[in-house]
């Protein structure tokens, strides 16, 4: 599972177009990292998503792929934190 923490508070501080753009960028980043590690997004609800690894194509190292994807998402979000902070300023 992946969720944008504090999204309600972020949305309240932005106009709808800015929040839409932010959410779109976040989801594109998350999808990119998930697909990079051969996962796929099973469910999407607002700013939350569920990704599966090792299904439908089994991989012996599916748990490791999931962790690598999660860390890659976290790191990419940290690199982009400045742009998110600038939107909230």
């Amino acid at each position: 599972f992946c969720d944008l923490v504090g999204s309600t508070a972020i949305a309240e501080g932005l106009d709808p177009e800015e929040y839409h753009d932010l959410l779109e960028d976040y989801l594109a980043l998350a999808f990119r990292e998930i697909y990079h590690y051969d996962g796929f997004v099973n469910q999407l609800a607002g700013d939350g998503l569920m990704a599966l690894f090792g299904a439908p194509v089994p991989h012996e190292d599916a748990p490791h792929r999931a962790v690598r994807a999660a860390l890659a998402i976290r790191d990419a979000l940290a690199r982009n934190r400045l742009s998110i902070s600038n939107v909230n300023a």
Side-chain angles (χ1 to χ4, degrees):
F1 293 94
C2 186
D3 182 58
L4 186 60
V5 175
S7 62
T8 301
I10 293 169
E12 290 172 353
L14 300 175
D15 70 42
E17 291 84 16
E18 287 176 319
Y19 182 68
H20 178 268
D21 291 345
L22 177 74
L23 190 57
E24 195 170 86
D25 291 345
Y26 153 71
L27 290 173
L29 178 151
F31 274 60
R32 182 175 55 245
E33 298 302 340
I34 290 164
Y35 293 151
H36 177 78
Y37 290 98
D38 294 326
F40 79 96
V41 176
N42 184 47
Q43 292 182 7
L44 180 63
D47 66 356
L49 60 89
M50 183 172 75
L52 301 177
F53 294 82
V57 178
H59 296 284
E60 286 186 27
D61 64 342
H64 293 123
R65 290 171 187 255
V67 170
R68 287 186 195 113
L71 294 173
I73 292 167
R74 182 203 60 191
D75 293 346
L77 287 171
R79 285 191 301 274
N80 290 310
R81 186 180 185 113
L82 180 61
S83 63
I84 293 170
S85 296
N86 289 340
V87 170
N88 286 328

